[in-house]
Amino acid sequence: MGENTERHGIPGTIIFDGAEAKRGYGLNKMCFSFNEEANRNAFLADEDGYCRRYGLTDAQRDAIRGRDVLALLEHGGHPYYLAKFAGIFHLDVQDLGAMQTGLSKEEFKARLVEAGR
Amino acid sequence: MARIVGSIMSTHVPAIANALERHDEADPYWKPFFDGYEAVHSWLDEVQPDVAVIFHNDHGMNFFLDKMPTFAVGCAPEYRHGDEGWGIPTVDPYPGHPDLSWHLVEVLVGDEFDITTCQEMLVDHAVTNPMKLLWPGGGVPIVPVTVNTVMFPYPSAKRCFALGEAIGRAISSYDVEPDLRVVIVGSGGLSHQLEGKRAGFINKSFDLRFVESLTDDPRWVTQFSGEDLVKETGSQGVELLMWLAARAALGGSVRRVTWNYHIPISNTAAGTLVLEPAA
């Protein structure tokens, strides 16, 4: 159980509180910058250099390099800003849902349909 | 005095914008969702609102974590849809209604709500998607009211209810345009969670209980804390706070005009509800 789950008690869920906001500030600020096309292109042209400008920690840098959504969340990433990072690679929320739950996209979508029955 | 004609609660899932661009309204995946808007359009034709006050949450568009107001009121002459980064089509700016905005600000601060005022405000899919769904051919001027559901602690359900009530009273005391007809929009919900190992979480029974409560017992959901609401509705299901505020703005008794619920649209339990003041 992670420390956030210990604080808030919701398994599989990181409540984005002050501790996460502090931990993830640089990472989220970088992802927020991807609202601008010029910044998305600058990231693609020089990923290392772009990450350095925002002072990412080594763990955040590794998670960005690995496109590892669960690790990005664990290191303070906020889903709304991470969505802008994922968008650079044309990943939608169902791709991300599948990646985070270890299911295929089809299995993830089937689970959502099941929730409506 | 201005009059509130009713409240429309609507999901704002980003994928709706892409579906509209592809004209997927009759597609089997989308039809059960879009069909829910026919009754909304008929109702809007009847009540003919002049302006929409929209409770919404920002998704990393107008606000970043450097400054995160709990409640913000748009006072801008127009609201531009920014580039959201992940490729939904942007729409033309919506005109604002600054006179009504500033009246709301005066009354809310007088009522001891410590709000942020925004004379410039970018909007995202939480405003543009309900606008496209409600007024496919155009729209009305808007007054956006932003509620923080980005960073804990969120305002409590109890406080959001009080904000909605205060905005309802403020609209009712707006006398610059005595015949102004105002529609309230609550944007977001219902249960969904995008992130973490619990991604894909949906809670149909809670959603249905909540929607029922909006008619019968509108303060029901104020018993839950922010953490409780995340647990019951998912991290983003807390957008039901927008529905709650939109309901509270109507005051006393309400009548349900139409209701549609469909799982799933994208990762979300999609809901569309219209309530109007009981005669």
Side-chain angles (χ1 to χ4, degrees):
Chain A
M1 188 187 280
E3 56 167 293
N4 190 285
T5 309
E6 279 173 31
R7 276 202 299 285
H8 299 289
I10 308 175
T13 305
I14 293 174
I15 294 265
F16 193 85
D17 56 13
E20 304 303 332
K22 197 168 84 173
R23 194 194 325 275
Y25 194 78
L27 169 64
N28 289 315
K29 190 167 178 177
M30 179 178 86
C31 293
F32 179 64
S33 79
F34 297 145
N35 275 341
E36 290 184 31
E37 188 177 11
N39 293 334
R40 300 194 288 272
N41 291 335
F43 174 85
L44 287 170
D46 175 15
E47 187 171 324
D48 277 325
Y50 202 85
C51 288
R52 263 197 306 278
R53 276 168 54 189
Y54 287 90
L56 270 57
T57 65
D58 290 345
Q60 289 168 340
R61 181 68 194 94
D62 287 346
I64 285 282
R65 197 178 285 120
R67 319 296 188 233
D68 184 341
V69 181
L70 288 175
L72 287 165
L73 291 166
E74 189 188 328
H75 295 291
H78 186 291
Y80 292 164
Y81 309 113
L82 294 179
K84 299 169 192 296
F85 169 64
I88 294 179
F89 307 101
H90 308 291
L91 297 170
D92 65 28
V93 291
Q94 296 184 320
D95 293 310
L96 296 172
M99 286 163 74
Q100 295 174 99
T101 51
L103 301 171
S104 71
K105 190 172 182 178
E106 289 315 308
E107 287 166 343
F108 183 73
K109 289 172 82 166
R111 200 168 78 175
L112 289 161
V113 170
E114 195 53 42
R117 295 192 203 285
Chain B
M1 297 296 176
R3 184 167 70 85
I4 298 177
V5 295
S7 294
I8 307 174
M9 291 62 158
S10 169
T11 297
H12 61 227
V13 177
I16 293 164
N18 304 100
L20 286 169
E21 201 186 28
R22 291 191 306 263
H23 303 291
D24 268 353
E25 288 90 333
D27 176 273
Y29 181 88
W30 288 98
K31 193 173 187 309
F33 170 71
F34 282 115
D35 280 356
Y37 287 84
E38 284 174 17
V40 183
H41 296 155
S42 306
W43 181 77
L44 282 169
D45 279 346
E46 270 173 45
V47 296
Q48 292 285 326
D50 301 306
V51 58
V53 173
I54 305 182
F55 292 98
H56 73 116
N57 56 310
D58 185 75
H59 301 73
M61 171 52 59
N62 191 62
F63 298 110
F64 179 60
L65 301 170
D66 58 339
K67 305 171 194 75
M68 186 58 66
T70 294
F71 297 128
V73 176
C75 301
E78 68 169 22
Y79 300 91
R80 195 164 62 77
H81 182 201
D83 180 347
E84 305 203 32
W86 29 256
I88 62 168
T90 52
V91 302
D92 290 340
Y94 296 103
H97 194 304
D99 287 347
L100 179 59
S101 293
W102 285 110
H103 174 75
L104 296 186
V105 169
E106 292 282 346
V107 174
L108 287 173
V109 175
D111 264 353
E112 300 180 343
F113 284 88
D114 304 316
I115 52 167
T116 298
T117 57
C118 303
Q119 288 201 73
E120 293 186 43
M121 184 188 267
L122 292 173
V123 294
D124 65 22
H125 61 275
V127 169
T128 63
N129 278 349
M131 290 299 288
K132 285 185 197 178
L133 287 164
L134 304 182
W135 290 280
V140 293
I142 63 172
V143 175
V145 179
T146 317
V147 177
N148 166 39
T149 57
V150 176
M151 185 172 75
F152 255 68
Y154 305 151
S156 67
K158 185 180 164 203
R159 189 64 173 157
C160 292
F161 193 94
L163 177 77
E165 284 185 308
I167 284 185
R169 286 193 302 270
I171 291 168
S172 303
S173 69
Y174 181 69
D175 59 5
V176 178
E177 298 159 82
D179 299 323
L180 192 73
R181 291 181 302 273
V182 182
V183 67
I184 311 290
V185 177
S187 169
L190 285 166
S191 61
H192 65 298
Q193 176 157 337
L194 301 177
E195 85 287 4
K197 291 180 179 160
R198 206 171 71 134
F201 176 81
I202 279 173
N203 189 345
K204 185 177 178 178
S205 61
F206 191 92
D207 285 344
L208 296 177
R209 178 74 188 83
F210 167 66
V211 170
E212 196 180 309
S213 77
L214 291 179
T215 314
D216 303 340
D217 180 16
R219 284 185 175 78
W220 173 76
V221 81
T222 63
Q223 68 184 289
F224 296 100
S225 69
E227 284 175 345
D228 288 340
L229 289 177
V230 170
K231 197 171 181 178
E232 294 293 344
T233 70
S235 302
Q236 287 77 37
V238 295
E239 289 167 351
L240 66 77
L241 294 173
M242 316 305 148
W243 289 45
L244 184 67
R247 161 63 183 91
L250 298 179
S253 305
V254 298
R255 186 181 80 82
R256 184 187 287 186
V257 176
T258 184
W259 159 237
N260 187 50
Y261 183 64
H262 176 66
I263 299 172
I265 286 301
S266 196
N267 292 8
T268 301
T272 309
L273 174 69
V274 177
L275 301 174
E276 62 181 10

